Amino acid sequence: MQRLPTATTAGAGIVATALLVALLLVSVLPGASGGDAGPPLGGRKMGFAGETAGVLARYFNKGANVEAAAAPPGRAPAPPPPAVAGTPAQFRGQPLLPRFATPRRYDLRIRPDLVACTFSGTAAVAVAVSAPTRFLVLNAADLSVDSASIRFRDLAPKEVVFFDDDEILVLGFSKDLPLGEGVLSMKFNGTLNDQMRGFYRSKYQYKGKMKNMAVTQFESVDARRCFPCWDEPAFKARFKLTLEVPVGMVALSNMPIANQTVAGPIKTVRYVESPLMSTYLVAIVVGLLEYIEGVTPEGTKVRVYTQVGKSNQGKFALDVGIKSLHLYKDYFGTPYPLPKLDMVAIPDFAAGAMENYGLVTFREVALLFDEESSAESSKQSIAITVAHELAHQWFGNLVTMEWWTHLWLNEGFATWMSNLAVDSFFPQWNIWTQFLDDTTAGLKLDSLAESHPIEVEIHHASEVDEIFDAISYDKGASVIRMLQNYLGAERFQKALASYIRKFAYSNAKTEDLWAVLEEKSGEPVKNMMTTWTKQQGYPVINAKLQGNYLELEQAQFLLDGSSGPGMWIVPITVGCGSYYTQKKFLLKGKSHRLDIRDIASQCGNQEKGGDFWIKLNINQTGFYRVQYDDKLAAALENALQAKKLSVMDKIGIVEDSLALSIACKQTLTSLLRLLYAYRGEADYSVLSHINTVSLSIAKISVDATPGLVGDIKQLLIKLLLPPAVKLGWDPKDGESHLDSLLRPVLLVALVKLGHDKTINEGVRRFSIFVHDRNTSLLPPDTRKAAYLAAMQNVTTSYRSAYNDLLKVYTVSDEAEERGRVLSTLCYCKDKNIVLESLNLLFTNEFRKQDAYYVLQGLSMETRDTAWVWLKGNWDLMAKKYGDTQEGSFIRYVTTLFTSNEKAAEFSRFFATRKKPEFQRTLKQSLENIWISARWIQGIKSEPRLAQTVQELLRRP
């Protein structure tokens, strides 16, 4: 699943609960003995007695495959689970379903009513009972199950109990069930909800009328909202679906249509039975759609489905999809497993995209590219998203994580693979340099005490959604890049292909991947990578020059300035004066001493001025930061000015410096001096990072140095203006893709920094655009800057530009343009306009999925208005948007503040509104406020900051 552009280990209370559950299980589960089937509760031992942990592991039996014939080679079959007696209540509060009964095959018949927005269905599930029990325990939520219809081997249950908090259905029978396979059948019905999860409705216009579309989104734990099921990744089964839909509707599922019949107004569509797959990958789409199609070199039919009239916008995605399937077939050494692949643009969609097996669903903006209204950046985003989801067809769908603890095996690899694929298709885009955006996002989140390991323990289904974050995706992808760089591309690829073949159609955990990589490479992969996946955080490598020796020491880096206890096996790369000779080694302990004369001749003579420099983490392939002593830092700055460093290293140096400044390990004064060394830079990726660092400095200076904030902004404008002037507002014939990406980045930054000339030009072009939508003066790439500029002059009494923007939103039917408008409506100094924009969130003027666009426009100037609004409307917001979006409201509003007092106010407000769905986000947001408050105090104590700003402003 592709998350949207953005947003801890479990607390002691959860550990205590797990311990209590373990002790209870020891007392109620007879026959609990035998071998351990795998680490309990998501892969990490929790400190309770080994015997108790073994009982948990055997009870949940996570390592056992649900179909013996599909058990991966080399893995011993799991022992049979213990017999279970007792009452239905014993199954409450468990992180996983019991393994004494497992599904083998689902036969589902579902009939959606697109007018009433309801659905009904029947399920016949082949279930294998492997231990004496009188219970069947499965997941169901927001469904009405007809208790009288339930049968297992013609037996009616004595008890039918729903536990809503755990979203489980417990069927209790009067006697032990026969061992072996039998069919569980039942009838059920539900509502096509408006929450964009489970089986839900999406709205679209057709011939001027609003229509409903039925869509599924099951990841992570929402298949249970469509049909009763064993809704965990390890319960792989085969699925045979039948849909009953209105004649004239397109009905799609994972597999091709086997046959269809028509009776009156209803069309019955039967699909080919699927291979083994997890419930979260099942998919259904029903609506009025059209498509374009192509075929891979291997003969697989690929289609892009859209609303009627938009299929032409799917051409670019179709091309990338066909190329991706072909590339992955070769890279993984395994053909695409299904006979077809459909990609569907969904008008209402919570995530960016979802990798359902054979039926991939997307937000419209993530799949459709329109030459007239789409920005150049959208083309790149679409390519990455399509490649990401199709990588999942192997990494995630064919080989699936055992439990959500191993989510990163899906998302980290798909993120990394998508960059590999797009770099192959579009080498001129320099994707691996841009990948450092992902690495930076991972480093930022993982420098919080409230971060979490890559392998995070999941104790309850309600916790899963919060780990679809920069750790699972960006850190996961970054440590894969680090490992590939250490092992070498060829060895790494061959090992991955072996892993895919070994675990195809089954489940795997992180240790399985390490075992294969270690076997194929002969390197200590498990020992090294365990330090990166099972503990949170990462190191900062402190580098100090003592004579001819480079002394290195690692410590866990935290943005709050403290040093954590973490220790890593770190792949170190060192260059000295040149990129031609490098030193590579593993830092296995806390410190290391390196004779720099062994690296290169330039290091033998440290008096050569600009020829001497030492750079660690060459091209930023490692997931760590570096802090240099003063001499090494000065030499690097000289090398930077002399253009001796690679683009990736330029990015790494400034990003490390910003992080060290926030942590008060370096001064803002030194960071500004370093930034000035980038004056004259022209590369898109470098300037993109310089831009981000500049806006961070501008933001913190509002509270840290209010008297100096104007001069600091002028200094940052001085840095960003020359490349912006060179590019101008108008695209040039034949200009590069990267120049097209850079222009809006610089123009938006200059508007936000208050550059009058840029704002005035933006207002001028917007005025022309309002009267002539086809003008060449405001193409899609530069509209955001012009919209922001126009909003700068909006007030309650002078709101014509605001009204014009609302009209642009209303008349546009392109998701990208509508999002562009929404993201600017709150960027205004007038609090009444901001309130009016926020209140749009409670109207039906836009789709729920787009709420985060509106929140993106909030600024420091109107943060108090936003907080008062959020407090006053929290209950209404929570009701309308549900559990899955509350975290976004918290993150976008609270992190505008920088004082401990405000953090305390937020804590008090949310103390009585806690939910597991956003607890991690809340804690991280509060920690970011505390970090900003500490940074401000450090900045206020810098004696030379004002003098340095004036000095740099005077420089030519």
Side-chain angles (χ1 to χ4, degrees):
M1 184 160 64
Q2 184 78 319
R3 78 195 195 284
L4 294 173
T6 43
T8 63
T9 52
I14 292 177
V15 174
T17 302
L19 175 56
L20 177 59
V21 169
L23 295 175
L24 286 172
L25 287 174
V26 172
S27 64
V28 302
L29 299 183
S33 61
D36 193 336
L41 298 182
R44 193 172 71 178
K45 301 294 183 185
M46 298 188 63
F48 40 77
E51 181 181 355
T52 305
V55 171
L56 272 175
R58 291 188 296 276
Y59 176 65
F60 296 129
N61 196 14
K62 285 177 52 187
N65 196 281
V66 299
E67 183 161 332
R75 176 177 294 175
V84 177
T87 67
Q90 69 181 291
F91 302 107
R92 300 190 68 180
Q94 308 299 338
L96 298 170
L97 295 173
R99 262 47 179 175
F100 49 70
T102 57
R104 296 292 180 84
R105 180 181 182 273
Y106 292 82
D107 196 330
L108 301 171
R109 190 179 190 97
I110 298 175
R111 183 171 186 164
D113 185 329
L114 298 180
V115 177
C117 290
T118 59
F119 64 92
S120 59
T122 62
V125 189
V127 180
V129 178
S130 57
T133 179
R134 66 179 190 88
F135 294 103
L136 292 178
V137 186
L138 60 160
N139 295 113
D142 301 335
L143 293 175
S144 176
V145 176
D146 180 0
S147 298
S149 71
I150 301 174
R151 293 291 185 275
F152 180 68
R153 289 180 177 260
D154 295 325
L155 298 173
K158 177 183 176 183
E159 302 169 283
V160 178
V161 184
F162 279 96
F163 293 113
D164 292 339
D165 290 346
D166 294 306
E167 298 179 345
I168 61 172
L169 169 63
V170 181
L171 307 178
F173 295 84
S174 58
K175 60 181 180 179
D176 281 357
L177 301 174
L179 298 181
E181 190 170 307
V183 174
L184 172 67
S185 60
M186 66 185 76
K187 298 177 182 178
F188 56 90
N189 57 70
T191 300
L192 294 173
N193 67 71
D194 288 320
Q195 298 300 316
M196 293 180 289
R197 63 174 182 164
F199 202 15
Y200 71 93
R201 72 165 175 174
S202 176
K203 297 179 181 179
Y204 61 103
Q205 280 205 342
Y206 178 70
K207 295 184 177 179
K209 294 183 179 180
M210 193 63 69
K211 299 284 187 179
N212 292 324
M213 177 186 297
V215 184
T216 56
Q217 169 58 41
F218 290 164
E219 190 176 29
S220 50
V221 289
D222 290 317
R224 64 192 66 179
R225 287 176 168 77
C226 182
F227 56 94
C229 57
W230 280 256
D231 198 14
E232 293 174 9
F235 285 112
K236 282 194 167 183
R238 302 182 189 278
F239 291 83
K240 187 172 180 61
L241 266 70
T242 299
L243 297 179
E244 297 177 355
V245 302
V247 170
M249 290 288 175
V250 173
L252 304 172
S253 189
N254 307 83
M255 301 299 289
I257 294 173
N259 60 74
Q260 56 186 4
T261 56
V262 174
I266 298 299
K267 175 173 60 175
T268 300
V269 187
R270 301 169 186 87
Y271 298 89
V272 175
E273 184 172 290
S274 78
L276 287 168
M277 58 190 283
S278 302
T279 50
Y280 77 90
L281 296 169
V282 177
I284 298 167
V285 176
V286 180
L288 292 170
L289 302 168
E290 64 181 28
Y291 66 86
I292 56 172
E293 70 177 15
V295 181
T296 69
E298 294 74 36
T300 302
K301 186 177 291 184
V302 181
R303 289 178 173 178
V304 173
Y305 283 87
T306 71
Q307 291 184 54
V308 175
K310 291 189 175 184
S311 59
N312 195 52
Q313 298 177 28
K315 288 182 178 179
F316 178 70
L318 178 65
D319 180 59
V320 173
I322 291 171
K323 289 178 178 177
S324 296
L325 290 184
H326 182 61
L327 182 146
Y328 293 149
K329 180 267 298 182
D330 290 339
Y331 190 89
F332 293 126
T334 301
Y336 171 64
L338 301 186
K340 62 91 176 176
L341 176 79
D342 296 330
M343 297 185 284
V344 191
I346 307 298
D348 298 277
F349 200 76
M354 176 60 207
E355 68 269 18
N356 313 299
Y357 224 170
L359 180 59
V360 185
T361 45
F362 297 77
R363 277 193 180 208
E364 288 190 327
V365 72
L367 187 68
L368 306 184
F369 184 82
D370 181 73
E371 296 290 346
E372 300 299 321
S373 64
S374 297
E376 188 71 13
S377 58
S378 294
K379 180 177 286 188
Q380 182 172 303
S381 176
I382 289 166
I384 288 286
T385 303
V386 169
H388 178 107
E389 303 308 329
L390 299 200
H392 275 308
Q393 305 302 305
W394 284 263
F395 240 103
N397 299 9
L398 183 61
V399 178
T400 310
M401 67 210 160
E402 283 195 351
W403 177 237
W404 298 104
T405 290
H406 307 284
L407 173 68
W408 87 282
L409 282 177
N410 283 15
E411 301 303 348
F413 266 90
T415 301
W416 179 80
M417 282 300 304
S418 66
N419 283 270
L420 182 144
V422 174
D423 182 61
S424 173
F425 308 150
F426 306 101
Q428 70 276 18
W429 290 2
N430 294 344
I431 284 295
W432 282 118
T433 301
Q434 296 188 56
F435 176 77
L436 294 185
D437 295 350
D438 294 4
T439 300
T440 299
L443 289 167
K444 182 178 180 181
L445 181 54
D446 210 27
S447 58
L448 301 181
E450 290 293 345
S451 179
H452 61 81
I454 284 178
E455 293 184 65
V456 61
E457 293 178 23
I458 298 298
H459 302 270
H460 194 276
S462 61
E463 301 171 12
V464 176
D465 285 346
E466 280 209 313
I467 65 168
F468 283 81
D469 62 7
I471 302 301
S472 298
Y473 286 74
D474 301 325
K475 181 182 180 180
S478 297
V479 300
I480 292 163
R481 177 174 178 251
M482 178 171 67
L483 178 59
Q484 187 220 26
N485 183 71
Y486 174 72
L487 295 179
E490 185 175 347
R491 279 202 299 181
F492 188 72
Q493 181 267 324
K494 288 181 177 178
L496 279 191
S498 178
Y499 167 81
I500 291 291
R501 288 192 296 269
K502 183 173 183 178
F503 293 96
Y505 299 106
S506 63
N507 297 84
K509 53 186 183 293
T510 301
E511 289 76 10
D512 295 323
L513 176 63
W514 298 157
V516 174
L517 285 167
E518 190 162 302
E519 175 191 349
K520 297 298 180 182
S521 69
E523 297 286 346
V525 173
K526 180 180 178 181
N527 285 344
M528 178 174 78
M529 295 309 295
T530 295
T531 68
W532 295 95
T533 60
K534 289 190 179 296
Q535 65 177 335
Q536 74 180 56
Y538 58 87
V540 56
I541 308 298
N542 293 286
K544 183 167 58 175
L545 195 60
Q546 294 283 7
N548 287 319
Y549 290 92
L550 181 65
E551 296 185 351
L552 305 178
E553 185 173 308
Q554 69 162 301
Q556 183 175 351
F557 179 77
L558 290 165
L559 272 180
D560 65 5
S562 64
S563 182
M567 190 72 64
W568 290 262
I569 298 177
V570 189
I572 299 289
T573 52
V574 185
C576 185
S578 167
Y579 284 93
Y580 296 110
T581 53
Q582 299 177 25
K583 177 75 171 179
K584 296 184 178 183
F585 63 94
L586 291 179
L587 176 60
K588 297 181 179 180
K590 186 172 180 61
S591 60
H592 184 81
R593 198 165 189 248
L594 180 68
D595 189 336
I596 61 174
R597 291 170 296 187
D598 295 339
I599 305 176
S601 59
Q602 287 91 333
C603 290
N605 182 357
Q606 298 174 23
E607 308 303 324
K608 290 188 177 181
D611 290 338
F612 168 74
W613 50 265
I614 290 176
K615 173 69 174 64
L616 275 72
N617 197 11
I618 295 296
N619 288 326
Q620 303 306 113
T621 56
F623 194 79
Y624 56 90
R625 297 202 182 277
V626 182
Q627 181 168 13
Y628 300 93
D629 67 15
D630 291 343
K631 183 175 182 180
L632 292 174
L636 268 181
E637 190 170 324
N638 289 335
L640 187 67
Q641 292 176 317
K643 303 188 185 309
K644 298 288 183 68
L645 301 180
S646 71
V647 167
M648 289 184 177
D649 283 336
K650 289 178 183 178
I651 293 170
I653 288 169
V654 73
E655 288 290 353
D656 284 354
S657 187
L658 172 64
L660 291 165
S661 178
I662 294 173
C664 298
K665 302 289 187 183
Q666 289 182 3
T667 62
L668 178 60
T669 304
S670 65
L671 175 58
L672 288 172
R673 288 189 179 280
L674 175 67
L675 270 182
Y676 200 82
Y678 289 82
R679 187 163 160 77
E681 180 60 56
D683 180 84
Y684 160 70
S685 290
V686 176
L687 281 170
S688 178
H689 285 264
I690 294 299
N691 167 72
T692 302
V693 172
S694 296
L695 292 177
S696 296
I697 292 171
K699 176 183 173 183
I700 202 68
S701 66
V702 170
D703 292 329
T705 58
L708 196 59
V709 65
D711 287 340
I712 288 177
K713 286 185 176 180
Q714 287 304 308
L715 178 59
L716 300 174
I717 288 170
K718 183 180 179 182
L719 185 64
L720 298 174
L721 187 57
V725 170
K726 182 178 179 181
L727 287 173
W729 278 81
D730 299 307
K732 300 173 178 60
D733 290 340
E735 73 179 7
S736 71
H737 168 77
L738 296 176
D739 279 350
S740 297
L741 296 186
L742 180 58
R743 179 179 291 106
V745 167
L746 295 175
L747 292 176
V748 166
L750 289 171
V751 170
K752 289 185 174 182
L753 291 169
H755 184 244
D756 289 338
K757 190 173 181 180
T758 303
I759 292 173
N760 292 338
E761 181 63 13
V763 170
R764 183 183 78 84
R765 289 174 181 253
F766 177 71
S767 298
I768 295 171
F769 172 74
V770 166
H771 295 96
D772 177 13
R773 298 290 167 77
N774 295 316
T775 178
S776 62
L777 287 178
L778 205 58
D781 286 312
T782 53
R783 285 179 195 167
K784 175 75 174 285
Y787 295 173
L788 288 170
M791 284 299 298
Q792 292 297 284
N793 299 323
V794 168
T795 64
T796 307
S797 56
Y798 183 72
R799 51 179 293 142
S800 61
Y802 184 74
N803 292 337
D804 288 336
L805 277 172
L806 290 176
K807 187 175 181 181
V808 170
Y809 176 85
T810 302
V811 300
S812 175
D813 65 347
E814 302 300 333
E816 181 178 334
E817 178 69 1
R818 290 163 74 91
R820 191 181 290 132
V821 172
L822 290 176
S823 67
T824 62
L825 293 181
C826 281
Y827 201 78
C828 177
K829 299 170 186 175
D830 189 308
K831 67 178 184 180
N832 292 317
I833 295 293
V834 172
L835 282 174
E836 184 175 339
S837 300
L838 289 171
N839 284 330
L840 287 173
L841 294 171
F842 299 121
T843 70
N844 294 319
E845 296 299 317
F846 69 101
R847 301 181 188 277
K848 289 181 182 179
Q849 67 187 31
D850 293 336
Y852 86 103
Y853 283 123
V854 178
L855 300 171
Q856 279 181 333
L858 294 170
S859 68
M860 301 281 281
E861 292 175 305
T862 52
R863 57 188 171 181
D864 290 308
T865 299
W867 171 232
V868 170
W869 173 86
L870 185 62
K871 283 193 297 183
N873 292 281
W874 179 259
D875 292 339
L876 182 60
M877 184 277 300
K879 182 179 180 181
K880 182 176 177 68
Y881 287 93
D883 298 336
T884 57
Q885 297 194 61
E886 289 168 317
S888 294
F889 284 83
I890 292 171
R891 181 172 59 250
Y892 280 111
V893 173
T894 60
T895 50
L896 292 169
F897 294 89
T898 61
S899 72
N900 291 328
E901 293 76 17
K902 214 66 183 178
E905 182 181 338
F906 298 146
S907 294
R908 289 192 298 271
F909 178 79
F910 288 109
T912 58
R913 297 168 175 83
K914 290 181 179 178
K915 287 184 180 180
E917 288 82 2
F918 63 75
Q919 270 305 100
R920 193 185 299 275
T921 299
L922 175 60
K923 290 178 179 179
Q924 290 169 352
S925 299
L926 293 174
E927 185 178 355
N928 274 313
I929 299 172
W930 298 326
I931 288 167
S932 293
R934 184 174 180 273
W935 189 20
I936 286 171
Q937 293 307 309
I939 292 170
K940 287 181 175 179
S941 67
E942 292 185 30
R944 297 181 55 81
L945 179 58
Q947 180 182 341
T948 298
V949 171
Q950 297 304 321
E951 174 192 329
L952 294 175
L953 279 172
R954 289 193 298 269
R955 284 190 187 178

